[in-house]
Amino acid sequence: MSNENVMAPGQIIKILVGVVVFLVVAIYLLAKLATSGFNVDAEVMTKEAVAARLKPAGESIASDAPPGMRTGEQVFKAICISCHGAGLAGAPKFGDAGAWGPRIAKGYEQLVTHALAGFNAMPAKGGAPDLTDDEVKRAVAYMGNAGGAKFTEPAVGGAAAAGGKIDPEVTGKKIYESVCVACHGAGVANAPKFGDKAAWAERTKVGLDEVQKIATKGLNAMPAKGGYTGSDAEFRSAIEYMVNHSK
Ligand code: HEC
Ligand code: HEC
């Protein structure tokens, strides 16, 4: 029983390795905390710091929707949430009717003016100068409505913004004549030609919804959405315009 109290060399090595691993992890965590967790208050409100923090989010959202076409919710989730999500530095917190009530009372126009130009610790356009004015307006409406307002978000997309019904003979024709005609007019690179009944009948056998899905993604020489940057509904109207005139 005498060697019960003496550790075998293998055990000592295991303990040493354990200690080293623990130290490495602890140092790593401390370093992480020091570079991200602390200094938040001092750093958070400088415009450079805001811009730096916003950049990655702004870029990722940019790939979700073409510039100028982001909804209020998308803009909020990419940009405004970094302060308004938690109510940082006195920002009225998202969904907090108590905080938003007095803001909403100023009226939509006033809030939009402040969101565009900046207001005390609120940077102009939330620190994301690449946002269009309409995108900022949509985000103001989205946040305001979550706080109890009944603002109307400016619609995404030209025809919809004009309040008009999307008619293939009007909107679709316009889009066709400005974008799609480049390839579909003469049937470039195997594009089904405008007016070619057989070609379009073959494509539309699967149904218009499916055709729209394929065309939205792009197919061989057909770029995604034909390169059109407006709304899905408008793009659909251009497809319908071509299909209707190829029957
Ligand atoms: C860097 C932090 C920050 C970001 C990012 C930010 N805000 Fe703000 N926002 C604030 C602060 C702080 C206030 C409160 C300012 C005050 O009342 O003094 C505020 C206030 C507001 C107000 C109320 C203005 C008023 O007149 O009472 C609106 C509207 C607003 N923000 C919209 C937005 C929108 C839209 C975005 C995103 C595009 C955004 N904010 C992004 C910090 C931010
Ligand atoms: C740069 C040339 C080009 C432009 C611009 C273009 N298309 Fe196309 N499109 C094609 C080609 C090529 C095909 C055939 C692809 C294939 O089958 O290989 C195609 C196919 C399609 C199809 C059939 C998809 C299917 O299911 O087979 C639709 C629908 C369509 N385009 C709609 C549009 C609309 C709407 C526009 C304008 C907003 C547009 N395209 C602009 C080249 C273009």
Side-chain angles (χ1 to χ4, degrees), residues 64-75 108 132-139 141-142 152-164 166 171 175 225 228-235:
D64 293 353
M69 298 292 171
R70 286 162 280 197
T71 64
E73 184 179 6
Q74 285 173 323
V75 171
Y108 182 56
T132 64
D133 288 4
D134 265 1
E135 286 175 325
V136 174
K137 287 181 193 170
R138 286 180 209 127
Y142 178 74
T152 307
E153 264 193 46
V156 177
I166 299 180
T171 310
I175 296 166
K225 264 187 166 181
Y228 181 65
T229 54
S231 72
D232 289 347
E234 290 167 1
F235 177 63

Side-chain angles (χ1 to χ4, degrees), residues 45 50 75 79-80 82-84 88-92 100 103 106 111 114-115 119-123 125-126 131 136 139-140 143:
M45 297 319 300
V50 168
V75 171
I79 310 290
C80 325
S82 61
C83 296
H84 288 274
L88 211 62
W100 276 98
R103 312 276 180 173
K106 297 180 190 180
L111 296 184
H114 285 164
F119 182 60
N120 301 325
M122 160 78 197
K125 291 190 172 179
L131 290 175
V136 174
V140 171
M143 284 202 287

Side-chain angles (χ1 to χ4, degrees), residues 35-50:
T35 50
S36 66
F38 300 150
N39 304 330
V40 163
D41 287 342
E43 234 194 271
V44 82
M45 297 319 300
T46 71
K47 292 203 169 161
E48 294 74 22
V50 168

Side-chain angles (χ1 to χ4, degrees), residues 163-176:
K165 194 175 144 278
I166 299 180
D167 182 346
E169 288 304 318
V170 180
T171 310
K173 182 169 190 274
K174 223 186 269 171
I175 296 166
Y176 168 74

Side-chain angles (χ1 to χ4, degrees), residues 180 183-184 189-192 203 211 214 219-222 226 235 239 242:
C180 326
C183 300
H184 289 275
N190 193 35
R203 304 272 179 176
V211 167
I214 295 168
L219 177 68
N220 303 319
M222 163 78 187
F235 177 63
I239 297 175
M242 286 201 281

